[in-house]
């Protein structure tokens, strides 16, 4: 699939839930958010069938996101189902790592190839201020176990306010280098104002190279995180929704009302 600007679209990000077990202040404030009703959330069978159609149309890279994907009950079943789809060359997951020690082995056994783990600070006090949880130890243990069982690469996603030279970012970078993890820095974005920057050490935030579509947990298909355009799979069907999304993918991101916690950032 190729969009109007010559970009080959081969990457699907699937938000399996908008729930999360953390409340990072830049994503899901502790004051609460409006969540999708459970009855509107796609079942695993629906996600499997939808993904099959995506793959037939040219998608070969799939990432599971959230919210936090590991809080959705039975997530390993979905991983196993998706890994059975012939044509997916890369099946990965982005997680905050809180439950990683519990799930790492099953994720690897059932087909997850790569992990991205969110980690903005290795200082317990700062970590608690950012996430509104005291789960840093759990995340570090999850990373340790994931490395031991052979996940490679493991990428650390670190959100910074302005620069990767900030104190917490430098400490996370040193931690990553010591443990053989890749690291990428994302400057804090503002979807509503259309403010975003290229990801340092990654491919995100460079619109001219964007190759992805985003499937929300309720079946809405978004061509861009920074655009309110979406097409509902349940309304249009998979193929028509995909074609519409590809044809309406904007040249670059603009201001939008989307939420990181619902589309995986």
């Amino acid at each position: 699939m190729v969009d109007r600007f010559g970009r080959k679209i081969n990457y699907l990000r699937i938000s399996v839930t908008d729930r999360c077990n953390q409340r990072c202040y830049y994503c899901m404030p502790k004051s609460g958010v409006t969540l999708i009703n459970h009855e509107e959330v796609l079942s695993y069978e629906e996600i499997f069938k939808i993904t099959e159609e995506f793959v037939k149309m040219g998608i070969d890279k799939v990432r599971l996101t959230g919210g936090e994907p590991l809080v959705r009950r039975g997530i390993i079943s979905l991983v196993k189902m998706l890994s059975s789809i012939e044509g997916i060359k890369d099946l990965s997951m982005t997680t905050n790592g809180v439950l990683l020690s519990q799930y790492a082995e099953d994720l690897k056994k059932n087909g997850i190839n790569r992990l991205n783990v969110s980690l903005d600070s290795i200082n317990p006090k700062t970590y608690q201020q950012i996430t509104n949880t005291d789960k840093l130890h759990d995340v570090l243990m999850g990373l340790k176990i994931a490395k031991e069982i052979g996940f490679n690469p493991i990428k650390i996603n670190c959100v910074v306010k302005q620069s990767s030279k900030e104190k917490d970012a430098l400490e996370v970078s040193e931690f990553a280098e010591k443990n053989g993890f890749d690291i990428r820095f994302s400057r804090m974005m503002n979807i509503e104002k259309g403010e975003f920057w290229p990801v340092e050490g990654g491919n995100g935030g460079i619109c001219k190279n964007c190759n992805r579509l985003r499937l929300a947990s309720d079946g809405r298909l978004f061509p861009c995180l920074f655009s309110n355009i979406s097409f509902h799979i349940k309304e249009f069907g998979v193929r028509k929704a995909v074609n519409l999304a590809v044809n309406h993918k904007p040249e670059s991101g603009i201001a939008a009302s989307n939420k990181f916690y619902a589309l995986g950032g």
Side-chain angles (χ1 to χ4, degrees):
M1 294 183 290
V2 179
D3 73 0
R4 296 173 296 160
F5 306 101
R7 296 171 296 198
K8 181 181 178 181
I9 309 302
N10 69 324
Y11 183 10
L12 175 65
R13 289 197 170 191
I14 303 173
S15 174
V16 299
T17 180
D18 59 348
R19 271 66 177 173
C20 189
N21 50 3
Q22 295 195 322
R23 290 292 183 271
C24 298
Y25 69 86
Y26 54 77
C27 179
M28 200 179 217
K30 60 183 177 181
S31 58
V33 294
T34 301
L35 297 172
I36 296 170
N37 293 328
H38 282 287
E39 58 269 21
E40 297 178 15
V41 174
L42 295 172
S43 69
Y44 288 162
E45 290 74 20
E46 288 174 317
I47 293 175
F48 172 72
K49 291 178 181 178
I50 289 169
T51 307
E52 274 191 317
E53 288 299 312
F54 271 94
V55 173
K56 290 175 184 177
M57 297 181 74
I59 293 294
D60 59 17
K61 182 178 181 180
V62 175
R63 175 175 294 276
L64 301 180
T65 70
E68 168 51 42
L70 295 181
V71 303
R72 182 158 176 186
R73 186 176 302 175
I75 188 65
I76 300 301
S77 298
L78 176 63
V79 171
K80 188 173 183 179
M81 293 165 70
L82 295 180
S83 67
S84 72
I85 299 175
E86 187 175 349
I88 296 180
K89 298 177 181 178
D90 183 13
L91 179 60
S92 59
M93 177 180 285
T94 295
T95 172
N96 61 30
V98 171
L99 299 174
L100 187 55
S101 60
Q102 178 181 339
Y103 286 102
E105 186 171 356
D106 285 336
L107 289 172
K108 185 161 182 59
K109 283 182 179 178
N110 287 283
I112 291 293
N113 306 125
R114 298 184 297 109
L115 290 172
N116 282 48
V117 180
S118 300
L119 183 63
D120 300 334
S121 176
I122 58 170
N123 179 291
K125 183 177 180 180
T126 305
Y127 183 88
Q128 185 169 19
Q129 291 172 343
I130 294 171
T131 66
N132 288 288
T133 70
D134 59 353
K135 300 297 183 180
L136 177 59
H137 173 77
D138 298 296
V139 177
L140 298 182
M141 181 58 67
L143 283 166
K144 180 176 183 292
I145 291 174
K147 178 182 177 181
E148 288 175 349
I149 64 177
F151 271 110
N152 186 32
I154 296 174
K155 294 184 179 181
I156 301 296
N157 292 346
C158 182
V159 174
V160 298
K161 292 180 179 179
Q162 296 288 335
S163 165
S164 60
K165 302 303 181 183
E166 295 165 5
K167 180 177 183 294
D168 285 302
L170 289 172
E171 291 175 353
V172 173
S173 182
E174 182 180 355
F175 166 80
E177 183 177 356
K178 179 180 178 181
N179 287 278
F181 303 143
D182 296 338
I183 188 164
R184 39 192 284 174
F185 298 99
S186 298
R187 185 174 170 184
M188 205 173 295
M189 303 176 186
N190 188 319
I191 297 179
E192 294 182 355
K193 293 183 178 181
E195 297 177 343
F196 60 94
W197 296 266
V199 174
E200 184 180 332
N203 300 316
I206 306 175
C207 296
K208 68 177 182 179
N209 298 331
C210 185
N211 62 344
R212 65 192 63 166
L213 300 176
R214 298 169 182 271
L215 180 65
S217 58
D218 62 356
R220 290 173 297 155
L221 182 63
F222 290 79
C224 175
L225 176 64
F226 282 80
S227 170
N228 286 326
I229 298 172
S230 69
F231 303 94
H232 209 300
I233 295 287
K234 295 179 181 179
E235 177 183 353
F236 293 100
V238 178
R239 287 186 169 267
K240 185 173 182 180
V242 170
N243 286 327
L244 286 168
V246 171
N247 290 332
H248 286 80
K249 189 171 175 65
E251 185 174 12
S252 63
I254 55 176
S257 59
N258 299 323
K259 305 299 180 185
F260 286 116
Y261 66 85
L263 289 177

